[in-house]
Amino acid sequence: MNQAEAILFALRIWCSIGAIIAAVFLTIGMDRIDEDAQGAYVFRPLLIPGVLVIWPLVLWRWYLYETKRETLGKRYLPPRKAHFAVGMILPLGICLIILAGLNIRQPWPQDIAPIQLSQPAEVSQ
């Protein structure tokens, strides 16, 4: 077995496990962890490619919700505290980058004379 065959074999195993988890999660687990998704079956096929790829994360998050270790309030609290500071730092940083770019720009070389380009040749039809 060469390296390419080993990679394809590992990819097939990964996607096979992901397909099994996607089938179980999207039929049973989605209704249990998200009350807004109960009865909404049209969008679930759109989630299949994502679950195939990140199935370990899906299993981990499903485990956290089932054991009541995950709460949405605690999950989103830390970024909210930083929003004001980031909202002030980002515009200042952008202004500093623009000002630095305008001040550091390279001057035109003095020993090179500009050359006038010739007009394009007319094409007869």
Side-chain angles (χ1 to χ4, degrees):
M1 178 181 288
N2 60 15
Q3 190 174 8
E5 290 175 345
I7 292 172
L8 282 175
F9 181 70
L11 187 63
R12 285 183 185 139
I13 290 175
W14 184 272
C15 287
S16 299
I17 295 170
I20 294 168
I21 291 172
V24 174
F25 177 72
L26 295 176
T27 56
I28 299 170
M30 182 71 78
D31 290 331
R32 294 180 61 140
I33 67 167
D34 190 5
E35 59 273 351
D36 293 332
Q38 291 176 355
Y41 296 104
V42 177
F43 81 98
R44 292 182 188 192
L46 299 173
L47 300 176
I48 292 173
V51 175
L52 286 176
V53 175
I54 61 167
W55 61 265
L57 181 63
V58 170
L59 278 179
W60 176 249
R61 300 291 297 183
W62 190 8
Y63 170 74
L64 289 178
Y65 279 114
E66 288 292 329
T67 58
K68 305 291 188 216
R69 293 183 184 178
E70 180 69 29
T71 57
L72 289 176
K74 291 180 183 177
R75 179 177 180 207
Y76 293 111
L77 188 58
R80 289 182 186 154
K81 289 182 178 179
H83 280 181
F84 182 75
V86 171
M88 290 300 189
I89 292 172
L90 276 177
L92 292 174
I94 291 171
C95 291
L96 289 174
I97 289 171
I98 291 172
L99 288 174
L102 290 174
N103 287 329
I104 300 176
R105 66 180 176 190
Q106 296 178 348
W108 183 259
Q110 299 297 328
D111 56 344
I112 298 177
I115 300 172
Q116 183 176 1
L117 297 175
S118 62
Q119 294 181 354
E122 292 185 19
V123 178
S124 62
Q125 295 180 353

